[in-house]
Amino acid sequence: MNKVIEVDFLPREPEPEPFPRRSTPNAFGAREERRILIVDNDRDTTHLVKILLEKTGRYLVLEENDASRAHQSAQNFRPDVILLDIVMPETDGGEVAARIQADPELHNTPIIFLTALVTRAEVKTGLQIQGHAFLAKPIRIPELIRAIQEHLATHAKAFA
């Protein structure tokens, strides 16, 4: 019995980008939404932050609840800013940040640590964790948006 094998020799369409950039209109035409990766083992936290940030119309947010997959998610998603919890089971935020900084394609991506280990007063002193800004949990969305905007502006100036 002969088997017939069909082979497709026609050129294929390029694979679509897994996380295509979307644009939202503004007064000057269309602009890109900024990509935010949030890494936290607490699914409720990541989902709430995602909803509140995306509701502004300025952000596209990817949730990652497994710290061991955070680096791969960052490689695939190419975020403009990473929000990273420090205390997580198995792999902590410091280890995730070190992996991201060691990646030549991601090492310039701003990271903002989210932690319950500090107070709001400590945040205001301007201290940094591993050279990164941090925000105290529970997160206040206006503070978070302000921190994201500051990091985006600083990052843009550094590469302008």
Side-chain angles (χ1 to χ4, degrees):
M1 181 173 189
N2 293 334
K3 286 188 176 182
V4 176
I5 300 174
E6 292 184 33
V7 180
D8 182 8
F9 289 104
L10 297 175
R12 294 180 182 252
E13 292 287 323
E15 291 292 321
E17 184 179 350
F19 300 101
R21 293 200 182 258
R22 299 183 308 192
S23 294
T24 55
N26 64 17
F28 304 105
R31 66 179 170 94
E32 287 186 347
E33 290 176 323
R34 305 315 298 252
R35 292 171 173 234
I36 309 294
L37 172 63
I38 180 167
V39 182
D40 192 320
N41 60 299
D42 182 343
R43 292 179 187 277
D44 293 335
T45 297
T46 59
H47 194 64
L48 181 59
V49 170
K50 174 186 173 76
I51 289 169
L52 294 172
L53 287 178
E54 287 187 345
K55 191 174 182 178
T56 69
R58 294 183 285 177
Y59 307 105
L60 174 63
V61 180
L62 176 66
E63 302 170 69
E64 180 54 74
N65 301 114
D66 182 346
S68 66
R69 294 194 318 234
H71 181 228
Q72 184 64 48
S73 292
Q75 287 177 322
N76 294 339
F77 188 59
R78 300 287 181 210
D80 296 301
V81 174
I82 298 171
L83 306 176
L84 182 56
D85 186 21
I86 293 178
V87 180
M88 293 182 282
E90 298 174 28
T91 307
D92 70 19
E95 190 176 331
V96 172
R99 288 181 191 160
I100 289 168
Q101 289 179 308
D103 185 324
E105 294 182 15
L106 296 171
H107 74 276
N108 288 323
T109 305
I111 295 172
I112 301 171
F113 282 117
L114 308 176
T115 182
L117 301 176
V118 297
T119 65
R120 294 197 189 291
E122 290 171 315
V123 170
K124 290 180 181 180
T125 66
L127 294 175
Q128 296 190 335
I129 300 173
Q130 292 183 347
H132 301 286
F134 60 92
L135 293 176
K137 286 183 172 182
I139 303 300
R140 294 181 181 157
I141 294 301
E143 275 181 314
L144 179 59
I145 290 172
R146 189 170 35 258
I148 290 169
Q149 291 304 110
E150 287 172 6
H151 280 77
L152 290 172
T154 302
H155 185 70
K157 286 178 189 173
F159 294 95

